[in-house]
Amino acid sequence: MGEIYTVAIIGSGPAGLSAAARAAALGLSHVLLEKTDHLSDTIYKYQKGKHVMATPANLVLRSDIDFEAGKREVILGLWDEQIAGHKVHVKYHAEARAIRGTGDAIPGSVQQLVTRARDGTKSVRDIQRHAPPYAIELANGETVMAQNVILAIGTQGNPNRMRCPGADLPHVQYQLDDPAEYVDEHIVIVGTGDAGIENARGLAEDPAQRNTVSILNRGTEFPTAKDANVKALMADHEAGKLMIRTESETASIEPGFITLTTRDGELRIPCDRIIARIGSAPPRAFVEECGIEFSSEDRSAFPKLSPVFESTAPGIFVIGALAGYPLIKHCMNQGHDVIEFINGNTELKPADEPIIAAKFASLPGNRSTGEWLEFLRTNVSILNGMNPLQMREFMLDSEARFFGPSEVIFERNAPGSSLFGIASGSVAVEVNPADPSITIPIEAGSIFGEVGLISGRRRGATIRAAEDTIVVEISRLAALKLQSQVPTAKAAIQRISIERQLLQMFGSGLKREDVAALVEAARVEEKRAGEVVVAEGADDKDVFIIRRGSMIVEKAIGERPVFLSYLPAGSYFGEMAVIDGSLRTATVKAAIKSEVIRLPGEGFLALLEKNPALREKAMKDMAGRRATNAFIESRKDSFGGAVDLYSETAQFLVDNGIGEATDVLLIDEKLCIGCDNCEKACADSHDGLTRLDREAGRTYAHLHVPTSCRHCEHPHCMADCPPNAIKRGPDGEVFIDDTCIGCGNCQRNCPYGVIRMDAKPPKKPSLLQWMLFGRGPGPGEASYNWRKKAAAKDGTPKAKQAIKCDMCSGIDGGPACVRACPTGAAIRVSPDKFLTFTKLTEDAE
Amino acid sequence: MMATKAAQTKGGTGRFTQDEKRRDSDHVSFLKHRGFRWLWIALALSAASIAGYVLIDQEPRPNGGTWYGYTLGTIGFGLILWLSLLGVRKRRINPGAWSLKAWTSAHVYLGLSLAVVGTLHTGFQMGWNVHTLAYVLMLLVIVTGIYGVVVYATLPASLSSNRKEMTRAQMLDALTAIDRQLESAAQPLGRAEADLVIAALAQDVFYGGPLARLTGRYPGCATSRALKRMGGNSEETARVGSLLERRRDQLAQIRGALRIRAMLEIWLFIHIPLTIALIAALTAHVISVFYYW
């Protein structure tokens, strides 16, 4: 066994590089372990010439290596140079497989490892932690010893490996850099996701390469790949360029051949190269094996860390994206700081100190940043369970605000998905929109705004400060992180939200005591899209409230299901069977992935017993629903065609994601003349790039759903935005601001393909110049060539950023696409208003 | 930011009310816009013009030169200039909270009422002069416009049916995919048959003149010819035959789209130049009238 380093840094991304450079500058004995033959593999794999951005702009960079926004090549070159200049000890081809303590067993320090099998069974294994120094076992069999280990491995993970006999042969590879590299080979692709399909097509693209390419498919469908890729692959197969082998799996691999198990038995075919693209495993399993605990079982959870980034395994530190900080600048600062901490510098203040200090600047009370953080943490009950590092991180995504007496905090019907915690003072909720003088108080320590957070819908009531009040406004992202890190906070938010939902749902007159029993008995259940919650004819007796998502109500009329109505989040259902004891009269199923609150029928009945006013309201709602059902059923007899059209059109719209939309563009193709004026107006209203594609998308009964943002209740695009650039605006629009770093995550996450990545083109000559002198490309989006030429002439290259519809926020008159339609074909609607019998069956003419 | 922004800026929720109205609105075509508002306005204008023409005693006879004639002429001239601005309006969407549908609706109905106003302005006096030229041009513009309204109201549904959820680019891609298969499938064919396929593949997708576009008849279509003359009943010719059929169907879809688009657009190639000619003739008409006053 060789030298024991003071620190070993695993991973040479921005975080690892910065840490290594700091260690080298301080003269610590160190080693930087990198699994490939180059530094910073994630950025290395970016496409050539990609513009890498440096956000947040207000964060100072604290690192021994430099970084500013620029081209991938420039940044990588600079880092290579500076790492060499700092004489950093880098060990390439050093992939860590395991880290274990070699000191004494630490008493009482046991890591519980929970493994979940595919069938849902769990197995628990205990690992005894051992003290440093740590032995880092590498893939090539070497061992590196270190007192401290810094994990800076990011979240990319390692590709899944093949497991059949012969899988470790050298001609099995997990990546394809340049398809043009291989000629005259028999190549088998394993994996039918987008990566596998793209590789197969790339290798077969040029017949001059004379490759014999086959792609293996365990089944017959390609469920995980994009539709366009699958179609292209099918076309290549039909054209004989490559071969899709369905219902085939690898049995064994040997040099020059591969054996497959197929429907018709085993098949041995020649094979010079195997490219396996079978997904990648998140690094969590590896990290847990090292003795590092995560904050929860949530997939999005991060490792538990101390204020100095130390994990639950003493001497192992976690920084960068794996610690929950995906931005390059954050990573580099942490690399610097963690080495300082290890080196004994306990006085160091985090680099984000000025950002957090600015958030408290406007509050009365003259406290220091640390005091403010502690003030919020101790006074807002859901924040009690956080540690100081988490509190800091939490504050980066949150705002502290002061409101004077009767100042409005938010208004009814304003959009907003943030959660508020009251640190001091109290607020008043205007429960009756008709009479603002009727209010319900919420005291210090509690929260409000949770309905917007959970359902993604607009604020249900106006809330004012009742006295001098300090609140912390927690962004949706921070609230989700909080819930995954602090289980007690999650439980508290859930309880309060159920209670409030009950109070709000059943209207005035109810008090917290009235619903207390029901809240206790309530269960939150998640429902998959299409999952049946209530089945027609069944005799179960629970009542449901839709917490998030939406439901559709169907009834079988003459064998076929007929769409009755659409229920948005916040509605309740199932009360009919409870009140009159009948069987379920209709089927209710989830339109999209949803959450419902299940209330036991008896509890609901008991509540009705005690509250005659509520009973009356429930009876009225029920009569309304009965009338709708009866109307459609009666129509079915006389106008069967209209009901079928309505039912099928509604189903078509729900299948196309309208159920989760808040504002969606539809085109009535009985009116659309195909002039594309909507696209042109869109481009002319937004930097010369159109954000909708009129022709693309599905059509049913002349109702067309073009490729354009639906402003989902829970936007998929927001799920993984490193700079948090995607927000919901004051009018409900989901928009991307200028801090976008162009990573493309949102584009990949959007199931509707409405986000494009492009650079803003220079300004066009004016309309008058075009009309009179023919200057410039004219109205609408300029051709790619014009934009490219104009940008070249302009000089400053612009980075590609994510572009999507912002509902023409800030433009007088509303969405330009609708205003620019000459015939009235383009409409923007919301599902709760549009999915009704009259709207769907009316004739547009 | 976030929620409080709406509360702070007045009108933050004002747009919400406006948006909710939009999200709840019925989809109504340009013809029915706002309960035929512009139809009623146009009818009122026409009725008033006729009533004035009948009731007002014009000396020596109804004519463009009486005070009433001048009034009608001014209204007509103003209308023509305003109607011609639609072309600018539709290309300049911002700024302004207006809708092109309302403009189209007004354009259609006021344009039709112009036939009444203009005719009454002439006092039914025609001749071989620039004045009558302007009048005839105006009628031609109106007639082409009527054609436009008819096709806008009737053709979009067939455009949509013909499209079958495919974009224009996808239609061309589908043809390219068929062509690639056709090329390899035709390799084993004899010289004569292969030539037929080559001719089909070599022909431009957009082959055919304006007449072919509008009628949908392509007598020189090499794909149809190849299908007709493809002989033999070997396995290879059968495969090529079925591919040629697919090519013919794909071409039919593309040509169908071209045909409907052409019918939706052809009238603009007359309507707009005639409008420009009309404005020129009108200018001459106005100047000459004032010059010889």
Side-chain angles (χ1 to χ4, degrees):
Chain A
M1 206 169 286
E3 184 185 355
I4 299 183
Y5 297 102
T6 309
V7 269
I9 300 142
I10 305 179
S12 71
L17 281 181
S18 178
R22 188 70 202 148
L26 290 177
L28 294 181
S29 91
H30 69 278
V31 61
L32 176 62
L33 304 176
E34 167 54 45
K35 70 176 174 191
T36 68
D37 62 356
H38 48 260
L39 297 175
S40 204
D41 188 48
T42 304
I43 296 177
Y44 186 88
K45 279 197 197 132
Y46 282 178
Q47 118 201 22
K48 277 184 196 154
K50 180 178 162 77
H51 185 88
V52 182
M53 298 197 213
T55 48
N58 57 353
L59 183 66
V60 288
L61 181 68
R62 186 148 77 184
S63 176
D64 295 282
I65 50 174
D66 294 325
F67 169 62
E68 57 185 39
K71 272 199 170 141
R72 162 193 172 272
E73 288 74 13
V74 176
I75 291 166
L76 289 175
L78 180 73
W79 286 351
D80 280 342
E81 204 176 284
Q82 295 192 337
I83 286 297
H86 280 291
K87 302 209 163 37
V88 171
H89 177 206
V90 191
K91 202 171 162 67
Y92 291 104
H93 302 291
E95 182 182 348
R97 283 278 170 87
I99 304 171
R100 49 184 178 80
T102 57
D104 301 330
I106 306 170
S109 184
V110 176
Q111 157 93 339
Q112 280 207 324
L113 266 190
V114 183
T115 8
R116 280 170 193 281
R118 270 201 182 163
D119 55 8
T121 54
K122 276 204 270 191
S123 60
V124 181
R125 191 156 53 92
D126 286 346
I127 299 181
Q128 169 66 52
R129 291 199 189 93
H130 288 260
Y134 285 100
I136 305 165
E137 288 165 15
L138 303 184
N140 62 8
E142 276 182 63
T143 303
V144 173
M145 296 294 294
Q147 275 302 332
N148 297 289
V149 180
I150 297 173
L151 273 184
I153 55 176
T155 50
Q156 220 178 31
N158 288 322
N160 287 333
R161 310 248 155 201
M162 298 193 64
R163 275 182 283 191
C164 62
D168 48 359
L169 287 170
H171 67 290
V172 180
Q173 63 189 59
Y174 297 94
Q175 203 186 328
L176 174 68
D177 290 326
D178 182 9
E181 211 176 302
Y182 307 107
V183 289
D184 272 327
E185 286 194 18
H186 288 264
I187 304 176
V188 173
I189 315 283
V190 184
T192 49
D194 288 315
I197 293 177
E198 278 159 20
N199 285 176
R201 295 196 60 226
L203 287 164
E205 180 62 41
D206 186 0
Q209 282 175 248
R210 297 177 306 275
N211 288 323
T212 310
V213 180
S214 23
I215 180 163
L216 302 189
N217 187 346
R218 201 182 289 182
T220 52
E221 309 276 312
F222 295 84
T224 57
K226 283 199 196 92
D227 204 37
N229 267 339
V230 178
K231 280 198 183 128
L233 181 75
M234 294 291 189
D236 283 357
H237 173 73
E238 272 185 44
K241 288 173 114 185
L242 50 76
M243 184 168 182
I244 305 173
R245 293 181 180 274
T246 51
E247 296 179 70
S248 306
E249 279 183 77
T250 327
S252 66
I253 301 168
E254 56 199 294
F257 285 93
I258 184 169
T259 308
L260 310 174
T261 25
T262 69
R263 205 182 45 187
D264 311 318
E266 293 219 329
L267 179 69
R268 188 165 174 268
I269 56 170
C271 169
D272 306 311
R273 186 173 304 279
I274 293 159
I275 298 172
R277 303 305 300 264
I278 43 183
S280 59
R284 178 159 178 167
F286 163 76
V287 175
E288 283 184 325
E289 290 280 353
C290 302
I292 297 171
E293 221 174 287
F294 278 67
S295 56
S296 74
E297 281 188 28
D298 221 80
R299 278 171 56 122
S300 56
F302 297 112
K304 280 189 186 169
L305 297 178
S306 76
V308 295
F309 305 107
E310 192 168 14
S311 70
T312 49
I316 303 186
F317 298 78
V318 180
I319 56 172
L322 183 61
Y325 295 86
L327 293 176
I328 296 177
K329 267 185 172 176
H330 279 146
C331 291
M332 294 180 71
N333 285 351
Q334 290 177 352
H336 172 277
D337 292 357
V338 74
I339 293 291
E340 286 291 328
F341 294 139
I342 290 174
N343 200 35
N345 179 358
T346 50
E347 295 300 296
L348 187 71
K349 283 243 190 280
D352 50 27
E353 176 79 12
I355 298 177
I356 294 183
K359 296 191 182 232
F360 295 122
S362 63
L363 299 187
N366 245 340
R367 291 182 168 92
S368 73
T369 309
E371 285 164 349
W372 272 122
L373 286 171
E374 199 51 20
F375 175 76
L376 296 181
R377 196 181 73 80
T378 47
N379 284 333
V380 180
S381 60
I382 56 165
L383 304 182
N384 295 165
M386 288 215 273
N387 69 34
L389 180 71
Q390 284 171 329
M391 215 32 226
R392 271 189 174 274
E393 188 201 335
F394 165 81
M395 211 49 224
L396 282 177
D397 289 329
S398 306
E399 300 290 337
R401 297 178 194 287
F402 170 79
F403 292 93
S406 85
E407 210 177 320
V408 172
I409 299 176
F410 59 65
E411 270 176 2
R412 187 176 127 83
N413 279 336
S417 56
S418 54
L419 179 70
F420 290 79
I422 309 173
S424 70
S426 65
V427 302
V429 188
E430 291 176 10
V431 282
N432 186 348
D435 184 357
S437 65
I438 304 175
T439 60
I440 288 181
I442 300 177
E443 69 287 1
S446 190
I447 53 168
F448 59 93
E450 74 294 334
V451 175
L453 167 73
I454 291 159
S455 71
R457 297 209 169 225
R458 289 165 187 279
R459 302 295 189 191
T462 298
I463 293 190
R464 294 173 188 275
E467 52 193 299
D468 278 354
T469 301
I470 292 174
V471 297
V472 55
E473 180 173 4
I474 309 165
S475 71
R476 184 174 143 76
L477 198 78
L480 294 180
K481 236 187 224 173
L482 167 71
Q483 293 184 76
S484 90
Q485 282 173 346
V486 187
T488 49
K490 186 175 182 168
I493 294 173
Q494 181 147 320
R495 217 199 92 88
I496 294 175
S497 73
I498 291 175
E499 180 184 288
R500 301 249 172 90
Q501 206 139 21
L502 282 174
L503 289 175
Q504 199 167 348
M505 173 96 354
F506 300 123
S508 55
L510 283 186
K511 299 213 169 45
R512 279 167 71 178
E513 307 84 81
D514 299 331
V515 295
L518 212 48
V519 172
E520 280 316 309
R523 294 284 162 270
V524 173
E525 293 174 12
E526 195 160 288
K527 302 288 172 197
R528 280 174 289 110
E531 189 174 339
V532 172
V533 185
V534 162
E536 185 178 352
D539 68 348
D540 52 322
K541 294 275 183 281
D542 288 341
V543 178
F544 299 86
I545 297 177
I546 306 171
R547 194 166 125 95
R548 60 173 286 180
S550 55
M551 301 275 150
I552 53 177
V553 186
E554 289 182 345
K555 191 174 175 62
I557 301 179
E559 305 288 292
R560 269 193 299 170
V562 167
F563 182 97
L564 288 183
S565 56
Y566 166 89
L567 300 175
S571 349
Y572 67 101
F573 59 91
E575 80 291 354
M576 288 191 200
V578 178
I579 294 176
D580 60 14
S582 59
L583 298 179
R584 300 288 192 191
T585 54
T587 296
V588 182
K589 60 185 192 184
I592 50 165
K593 190 176 154 207
S594 307
E595 266 177 29
V596 293
I597 304 171
R598 180 192 283 270
L599 306 169
E602 311 88 67
F604 181 71
L605 271 184
L607 185 70
L608 290 190
E609 294 292 311
K610 271 189 256 164
N611 298 277
L614 175 59
R615 186 181 174 80
E616 201 171 300
K617 185 170 178 288
M619 297 302 266
K620 222 168 92 188
D621 282 5
M622 202 165 95
R625 286 182 182 182
R626 285 249 161 85
T628 313
N629 297 1
F631 169 74
I632 288 174
E633 276 185 67
S634 70
R635 282 273 171 151
K636 178 73 187 167
D637 299 331
S638 43
F639 304 97
V643 172
D644 285 345
L645 179 70
Y646 157 67
S647 184
E648 281 154 20
T649 308
Q651 192 58 53
F652 160 77
L653 289 174
V654 169
D655 289 346
N656 281 280
I658 311 305
E660 61 180 322
T662 62
D663 197 304
V664 58
L665 176 64
L666 297 177
I667 292 178
D668 187 327
E669 290 202 335
K670 277 181 285 188
L671 292 174
C672 176
I673 54 167
C675 64
D676 283 331
N677 218 36
C678 44
E679 285 185 16
K680 288 178 193 149
C682 182
D684 287 342
S685 304
H686 303 103
D687 304 317
L689 293 171
T690 175
R691 298 161 173 200
L692 76 99
D693 185 342
R694 177 190 60 83
E695 268 192 318
R698 309 288 314 276
T699 312
Y700 181 81
H702 299 300
L703 195 58
H704 179 61
V705 186
T707 299
S708 156
C709 181
R710 295 116 206 266
H711 303 276
C712 299
E713 276 170 358
H714 293 281
H716 303 270
C717 53
M718 274 190 200
D720 186 13
C721 176
N724 257 336
I726 309 182
K727 303 195 173 81
R728 196 178 275 282
D731 299 305
E733 73 278 11
V734 176
F735 69 99
I736 305 180
D737 71 20
D738 277 343
T739 61
C740 169
I741 57 171
C743 67
N745 281 358
C746 52
Q747 188 189 31
R748 283 185 290 276
N749 283 335
C750 175
Y752 307 111
V754 305
I755 299 180
R756 62 185 280 196
M757 309 296 301
D758 229 318
K760 276 182 202 164
K763 250 183 120 54
K764 294 184 293 192
S766 73
L767 179 67
L768 204 65
Q769 291 195 30
W770 173 76
M771 286 189 115
L772 296 179
F773 312 113
R775 289 197 50 201
E781 180 172 310
S783 69
Y784 177 72
N785 282 333
W786 186 89
R787 283 185 276 141
K788 206 171 141 188
K789 262 191 217 142
K793 218 162 76 187
D794 212 31
T796 46
K798 288 251 176 60
K800 282 188 178 177
Q801 287 183 306
I803 295 165
K804 68 175 282 301
C805 168
D806 64 355
M807 246 158 79
C808 283
S809 152
I811 294 177
D812 200 16
C817 47
V818 175
R819 285 199 293 125
C821 181
T823 62
I827 48 175
R828 290 199 75 106
V829 296
S830 61
D832 43 335
K833 294 199 162 44
F834 193 69
L835 289 175
T836 62
F837 188 81
T838 30
K839 285 276 160 69
L840 286 181
T841 54
E842 82 184 343
D843 219 352
E845 278 304 306
Chain B
M1 288 290 282
M2 291 188 269
T4 36
K5 189 175 163 193
Q8 282 157 4
T9 55
K10 196 170 159 271
T13 41
R15 162 107 185 239
F16 171 69
T17 321
Q18 187 189 326
D19 280 340
E20 281 291 274
K21 224 166 118 190
R22 163 176 62 73
R23 284 189 277 260
D24 194 26
S25 67
D26 300 327
H27 48 299
V28 174
S29 78
F30 65 103
L31 291 175
K32 268 188 177 176
H33 175 70
R34 301 237 171 186
F36 296 103
R37 171 192 281 182
W38 291 102
L39 172 63
W40 292 115
I41 293 175
L43 282 176
L45 176 64
S46 307
S49 308
I50 293 171
Y53 188 86
V54 174
L55 298 177
I56 293 168
D57 194 15
Q58 299 179 68
E59 285 300 327
R61 55 149 297 161
N63 177 297
T66 67
W67 72 264
Y68 187 65
Y70 274 123
T71 308
L72 289 178
T74 309
I75 293 174
F77 185 62
L79 267 181
I80 288 172
L81 288 185
W82 181 82
L83 290 167
S84 68
L85 285 178
L86 181 72
V88 181
R89 181 79 284 184
K90 83 169 205 193
R91 292 176 174 86
R92 189 178 162 80
I93 199 75
N94 291 311
W98 48 274
S99 96
L100 190 59
K101 178 167 82 167
W103 271 68
T104 319
S105 190
H107 184 91
V108 166
Y109 291 119
L110 293 180
L112 286 171
S113 72
L114 193 57
V116 177
V117 174
T119 306
L120 295 179
H121 171 66
T122 64
F124 301 95
Q125 289 175 308
M126 304 295 159
W128 294 101
N129 52 35
V130 71
H131 315 295
T132 305
L133 173 67
Y135 176 70
V136 170
L137 283 172
M138 183 194 78
L139 287 185
L140 286 176
V141 171
I142 293 173
V143 168
T144 53
I146 292 172
Y147 168 86
V149 172
V150 172
V151 291
Y152 274 27
T154 54
L155 288 184
S158 54
L159 185 67
S160 162
S161 313
N162 177 72
R163 209 159 77 73
K164 296 191 186 76
E165 298 195 334
M166 283 171 95
T167 66
R168 282 163 284 183
Q170 283 168 344
M171 292 180 200
L172 292 176
D173 284 349
L175 192 70
T176 314
I178 296 170
D179 285 0
R180 228 172 20 214
Q181 294 175 47
L182 203 50
E183 196 174 351
S184 59
Q187 296 304 326
L189 296 189
R191 186 59 205 248
E193 281 101 358
D195 280 348
L196 286 172
V197 174
I198 290 167
L201 292 180
Q203 194 170 45
D204 186 12
V205 186
F206 300 112
Y207 136 85
L211 197 66
R213 282 283 159 86
L214 280 171
T215 56
R217 283 175 213 281
Y218 293 80
C221 173
T223 307
S224 313
R225 194 182 318 135
L227 253 176
K228 228 177 283 162
R229 299 197 187 157
M230 185 64 58
N233 38 18
S234 64
E235 201 178 305
E236 284 84 18
T237 46
R239 178 161 158 71
V240 169
S242 80
L243 281 169
L244 279 173
E245 273 170 30
R246 279 176 56 194
R247 186 172 208 275
R248 180 196 57 200
D249 295 345
Q250 189 53 58
L251 271 179
Q253 186 192 23
I254 294 171
R255 288 171 180 167
L258 288 174
R259 173 162 181 263
I260 301 166
R261 295 281 297 225
M263 287 169 73
L264 280 168
E265 282 167 12
I266 179 85
W267 63 283
L268 288 169
F269 290 95
I270 308 169
H271 192 73
I272 292 165
L274 278 183
T275 303
I276 293 168
L278 166 61
I279 291 173
L282 212 54
T283 314
H285 160 69
V286 172
I287 291 171
S288 65
V289 164
F290 281 106
Y291 189 78
Y292 294 110
W293 198 343

